[in-house]
Amino acid sequence: GISEATRSKIVEYANAHGYQMNTAASLLKKKSITVALCLPELDGTSRYFYEDIWQGARSYLAERRDLKVKVLEFPYKQDTLSKCLAKIRRMMEEENLQLDGLLTSPPEDKKGIAVIHAMADKGVAVQFVIGDNKASSGPPTIMIWITIMLDVLANCFKRVCPKIVDK
């Protein structure tokens, strides 16, 4: 550890400069969070931005190893999103997979939508990557992977530590 004199200097400096501890960020370094990425595999047929999301999530996590965030990757082939979501749900039920968040494309069929609802009912924070849905008007206007990843982490954190985040 550090000496009491050094600790006092740090606290004095922090107080003088208006530093306020971010309790949520501190807890995120201590509490493990598991997020599933369920996005189209990179086979040359998926939309251009999915490669950026896959690479961005991997880069972000490599740079922020101090955060205890585990990402499970579930790439799926075109038109098999609902099957992939059902697989994740089965893993939650049969293998006791503890999932805090899910980043995925919005499902278009009733089966996929039902799985999303079931996951949300179990407390999984779901964040959709909008733009690959046939009902939407093309790619997202702002598709920045770090923003999406931070949204997922924020939603997960709200679920894991709601009393602290709501303060």
Side-chain angles (χ1 to χ4, degrees):
I2 61 172
S3 71
E4 188 58 37
T6 301
R7 183 188 173 292
S8 294
K9 286 179 185 178
I10 293 170
V11 170
E12 183 180 319
Y13 180 86
N15 289 337
H17 290 85
Y19 172 79
Q20 292 182 353
M21 188 170 112
N22 185 333
T23 308
S26 296
L27 283 175
L28 187 56
K29 289 183 178 184
K30 297 173 187 168
K31 173 87 174 113
S32 179
I33 291 178
T34 303
V35 177
L37 288 182
C38 183
L39 300 170
E41 65 181 15
L42 300 178
D43 62 359
T45 63
S46 63
R47 296 231 179 165
Y48 65 91
F49 53 82
Y50 285 112
E51 182 174 354
D52 291 335
I53 295 171
W54 281 114
Q55 290 176 356
R58 291 171 183 153
S59 297
Y60 177 76
L61 292 169
E63 292 170 11
R64 293 303 311 264
R65 292 186 195 272
D66 57 324
L67 300 179
K68 293 185 179 176
V69 178
K70 179 179 179 184
V71 174
L72 305 175
E73 296 184 3
F74 294 93
Y76 62 87
K77 294 188 182 304
Q78 190 171 5
D79 298 323
T80 63
L81 171 59
S82 292
K83 288 180 183 178
C84 187
L85 293 171
K87 174 185 174 181
I88 297 169
R89 184 174 175 207
R90 274 193 308 278
M91 290 175 69
M92 290 174 67
E93 293 170 355
E94 298 170 7
E95 301 173 24
N96 201 27
L97 171 64
Q98 298 298 312
L99 194 61
D100 300 297
L102 170 67
L103 176 63
T104 186
S105 302
E108 297 176 354
D109 63 324
K110 289 180 183 180
K111 187 181 274 187
I113 293 168
V115 172
I116 291 292
H117 283 288
M119 288 180 167
D121 289 345
K122 295 223 181 248
V124 176
V126 178
Q127 180 74 39
F128 291 121
V129 177
I130 305 297
D132 200 40
N133 188 328
K134 291 174 187 158
S136 70
S137 59
T141 54
I142 301 173
M143 181 53 65
I144 303 171
W145 63 265
I146 189 71
T147 304
I148 293 172
M149 196 65 183
L150 291 175
D151 282 347
V152 170
L153 293 176
N155 286 331
C156 290
F157 194 77
K158 285 178 188 174
R159 183 184 110 21
V160 173
C161 302
K163 292 177 184 173
I164 293 170
V165 174
D166 290 338
K167 285 186 178 179

Short mmCIF file of all heavy atoms in Angstrom, two decimals, residues 17 22-23 31 36 42 44 94 111 123 126 138 152 165:
data_model
loop_
_atom_site.label_atom_id
_atom_site.label_comp_id
_atom_site.label_asym_id
_atom_site.label_seq_id
_atom_site.Cartn_x
_atom_site.Cartn_y
_atom_site.Cartn_z
N HIS A 17 -9.09 19.99 -6.52
CA HIS A 17 -9.42 20.03 -7.94
C HIS A 17 -10.83 19.52 -8.24
O HIS A 17 -11.17 19.27 -9.40
CB HIS A 17 -8.38 19.25 -8.75
CG HIS A 17 -7.06 19.95 -8.78
ND1 HIS A 17 -6.12 19.82 -7.77
CD2 HIS A 17 -6.54 20.83 -9.66
CE1 HIS A 17 -5.07 20.57 -8.05
NE2 HIS A 17 -5.30 21.20 -9.19
N ASN A 22 -16.05 8.13 -8.99
CA ASN A 22 -17.13 7.52 -9.74
C ASN A 22 -17.33 6.11 -9.19
O ASN A 22 -16.63 5.18 -9.57
CB ASN A 22 -16.77 7.49 -11.24
CG ASN A 22 -17.91 6.97 -12.08
OD1 ASN A 22 -18.74 6.19 -11.63
ND2 ASN A 22 -17.92 7.39 -13.33
N THR A 23 -18.29 6.00 -8.28
CA THR A 23 -18.52 4.72 -7.61
C THR A 23 -18.89 3.63 -8.60
O THR A 23 -18.45 2.49 -8.48
CB THR A 23 -19.63 4.86 -6.55
OG1 THR A 23 -19.31 5.97 -5.71
CG2 THR A 23 -19.76 3.63 -5.71
N LYS A 31 -16.65 -5.93 -10.08
CA LYS A 31 -17.73 -6.85 -10.41
C LYS A 31 -17.60 -7.30 -11.85
O LYS A 31 -17.42 -6.51 -12.74
CB LYS A 31 -19.08 -6.12 -10.20
CG LYS A 31 -20.28 -6.89 -10.65
CD LYS A 31 -20.77 -7.80 -9.56
CE LYS A 31 -22.06 -8.46 -9.98
NZ LYS A 31 -21.95 -9.87 -10.17
N ALA A 36 -23.02 -10.76 -24.29
CA ALA A 36 -23.01 -11.57 -25.51
C ALA A 36 -23.11 -10.65 -26.72
O ALA A 36 -23.94 -9.74 -26.74
CB ALA A 36 -24.16 -12.56 -25.51
N LEU A 42 -18.61 -12.54 -40.20
CA LEU A 42 -17.95 -11.76 -41.25
C LEU A 42 -17.60 -12.69 -42.41
O LEU A 42 -16.51 -13.22 -42.51
CB LEU A 42 -16.70 -11.09 -40.68
CG LEU A 42 -16.96 -10.14 -39.53
CD1 LEU A 42 -15.66 -9.56 -39.00
CD2 LEU A 42 -17.91 -9.03 -39.94
N GLY A 44 -18.43 -11.73 -45.69
CA GLY A 44 -18.47 -10.95 -46.92
C GLY A 44 -19.88 -10.56 -47.35
O GLY A 44 -20.05 -9.75 -48.25
N GLU A 94 -29.96 -24.14 -19.44
CA GLU A 94 -29.41 -25.48 -19.23
C GLU A 94 -28.00 -25.48 -18.65
O GLU A 94 -27.64 -26.38 -17.90
CB GLU A 94 -29.43 -26.27 -20.54
CG GLU A 94 -30.84 -26.49 -21.07
CD GLU A 94 -30.86 -27.05 -22.48
OE1 GLU A 94 -29.78 -27.40 -23.02
OE2 GLU A 94 -31.97 -27.13 -23.05
N LYS A 111 -40.45 -15.78 -33.22
CA LYS A 111 -39.63 -16.63 -32.36
C LYS A 111 -38.46 -15.84 -31.77
O LYS A 111 -38.18 -15.90 -30.58
CB LYS A 111 -39.11 -17.84 -33.15
CG LYS A 111 -38.39 -18.86 -32.30
CD LYS A 111 -37.87 -20.02 -33.14
CE LYS A 111 -38.97 -21.03 -33.30
NZ LYS A 111 -38.49 -22.27 -33.97
N GLY A 123 -33.68 -10.21 -16.84
CA GLY A 123 -32.79 -9.15 -16.40
C GLY A 123 -31.62 -8.87 -17.31
O GLY A 123 -30.71 -8.12 -16.95
N VAL A 126 -30.64 -5.57 -23.08
CA VAL A 126 -30.57 -5.82 -24.52
C VAL A 126 -30.37 -4.50 -25.25
O VAL A 126 -31.09 -3.54 -25.01
CB VAL A 126 -31.85 -6.53 -25.03
CG1 VAL A 126 -31.78 -6.74 -26.54
CG2 VAL A 126 -32.06 -7.85 -24.31
N GLY A 138 -31.84 1.59 -44.05
CA GLY A 138 -30.41 1.51 -44.33
C GLY A 138 -29.56 1.53 -43.08
O GLY A 138 -30.05 1.35 -41.98
N VAL A 152 -24.14 -0.72 -23.78
CA VAL A 152 -24.34 -2.07 -23.26
C VAL A 152 -23.80 -2.17 -21.84
O VAL A 152 -24.46 -2.68 -20.94
CB VAL A 152 -23.69 -3.13 -24.17
CG1 VAL A 152 -23.70 -4.49 -23.52
CG2 VAL A 152 -24.40 -3.19 -25.51
N VAL A 165 -26.27 3.29 -9.26
CA VAL A 165 -26.45 4.03 -10.50
C VAL A 165 -27.59 5.03 -10.37
O VAL A 165 -27.53 6.12 -10.92
CB VAL A 165 -26.71 3.06 -11.67
CG1 VAL A 165 -27.05 3.81 -12.94
CG2 VAL A 165 -25.48 2.19 -11.90
#
